[in-house]
Amino acid sequence: MTTTPIVPGTPHTLTTAQVAAWYDASDELCKLISGDSFHYGRWQPGDLDAPLPAAQLTTLAQNRMTDLFCDLLGLDAGARLLDVGSGHGSPAIHAAEQRGLDITGCTISQAQITEATRRAEAAELSDRVRFEFGDAMDLPYASGGFDAVWALDSFPHLNDPVTGLGELARVARIGAPILVTFYTQRVPATEAELTMCRDAFAFCPLPSDAQVREQIRAAGLALEQLHDLTEHIAPTCLAFGRVYQDNRTLIAEKFGTAYAEVMDAALADILAFLADKTRYLACLMHGPTQ
């Protein structure tokens, strides 16, 4: 088993271009195996027993998680939030609707920008929510331009998290809250699991909890709060499996029977790995205060 951290440049790391290509190629599939976004949800006891489709239950849990993150940031209406790795835009749109925030979302996937923009327009929020190209490790924004920054479930894709954290701090105003979620290894991953994560979700090797703390320190950020949400997100993988089964026929029609048969085993394996061997941390930080 692998016991030492994997450094950039190993076969398991990915470039920004490779991650973008994965998301563009997987865009339609991602919509068919999750709720409104491809994020973990915050579940409550009995949620999965409710008489609703799995995708709808997943979306409700995802919105509940977004609400928690908004609470942690503590922003007033009108505050400017940068959403790094904004995906299809659901967390940003929900936060704008519920908290009155002005949100810029950035992603490296053109397919995601197109879909997120469509969703913002459908919600009549284009005046307060916009989506554009932006690489977490080289953000196209001036320093100090945002009242808060978050990166939800995007850091597993970064081959240099310290640089990414430094960029979040750079574009946030002095003392602004910065929220990042991390997937970490509860136990070291095998070579086969590292390969599976790279191929299935375009993940770079996941850090340990201790490595996350060290990355935060190395980026010059101060960790204010660390929330271990592993227990709360546990049903997400089961819910994704149900959504996949609900859409299995459509997936076979869209992508072919052979592809769906491969997905049957591959998705089950990756969801089992995430559920059994990883932890989910929400880290609230701030950069230098002067």
Side-chain angles (χ1 to χ4, degrees):
M1 298 181 70
T2 301
T3 56
T4 55
I6 306 297
V7 298
T10 69
H12 296 289
T13 61
L14 295 167
T15 66
T16 296
Q18 287 172 319
V19 175
W22 182 90
Y23 267 113
D24 285 342
S26 304
D27 190 68
E28 289 301 315
L29 180 63
C30 289
K31 295 173 188 175
L32 294 173
I33 60 176
S34 67
D36 273 358
S37 66
F38 207 46
H39 291 289
Y40 276 131
R42 188 170 186 231
W43 297 81
Q44 297 176 343
D47 276 354
L48 280 177
D49 298 325
L52 294 172
Q56 188 173 344
L57 293 174
T58 301
T59 295
L60 292 172
Q62 290 165 339
N63 287 342
R64 195 181 294 128
M65 186 69 84
T66 300
D67 289 335
L68 171 64
F69 295 152
C70 287
D71 289 342
L72 291 176
L73 291 180
L75 300 176
D76 295 328
R80 296 192 64 211
L81 170 66
L82 177 63
D83 180 356
V84 178
S86 50
H88 289 141
S90 291
I93 291 168
H94 182 77
E97 288 177 328
Q98 300 300 314
R99 308 298 174 108
L101 304 179
D102 184 285
I103 303 178
T104 298
C106 65
T107 172
I108 56 176
S109 166
Q110 187 57 54
Q112 290 182 341
I113 294 168
T114 299
E115 175 63 13
T117 299
R118 183 195 67 77
R119 293 184 183 191
E121 291 172 350
E124 299 183 348
L125 286 169
S126 297
D127 60 327
R128 287 193 288 116
V129 183
R130 65 209 61 85
F131 299 96
E132 54 202 29
F133 182 88
D135 182 349
M137 293 190 290
D138 187 18
L139 291 169
Y141 305 110
S143 299
F146 293 93
D147 299 311
V149 181
W150 72 22
L152 308 181
D153 304 356
S154 55
F155 263 59
H157 300 300
L158 271 61
N159 61 37
D160 188 351
V162 174
T163 294
L165 289 168
E167 277 293 276
L168 303 192
R170 180 185 64 78
V171 300
R173 62 170 172 76
I174 292 176
I178 298 167
L179 178 67
V180 178
T181 60
F182 294 92
Y183 300 25
T184 65
Q185 296 183 40
R186 283 191 264 180
V187 295
T190 65
E191 286 294 313
E193 288 166 341
L194 290 172
T195 300
M196 178 175 65
C197 286
R198 180 197 64 198
D199 294 345
F201 284 145
F203 281 179
C204 294
L206 304 181
S208 66
D209 293 9
Q211 288 165 356
V212 165
R213 290 179 179 273
E214 179 53 37
Q215 290 167 359
I216 292 170
R217 283 193 294 268
L221 293 165
L223 178 61
E224 293 182 1
Q225 298 178 33
L226 187 150
H227 297 269
D228 185 343
L229 300 172
T230 308
E231 180 180 350
H232 298 285
I233 60 95
T236 300
C237 290
L238 178 59
F240 280 1
R242 290 186 183 180
V243 177
Y244 172 76
Q245 290 301 324
D246 289 346
N247 289 308
R248 173 62 166 72
T249 299
L250 180 58
I251 289 170
E253 291 175 354
K254 277 180 168 286
F255 304 105
T257 301
Y259 180 88
E261 290 174 350
V262 171
M263 277 295 301
D264 291 343
L267 185 63
D269 287 345
I270 189 67
L271 292 179
F273 170 75
L274 292 175
D276 297 340
K277 294 190 175 184
T278 67
R279 205 184 321 274
Y280 187 64
L281 307 179
C283 295
L284 183 65
M285 303 163 278
H286 64 75
T289 55
Q290 57 181 358

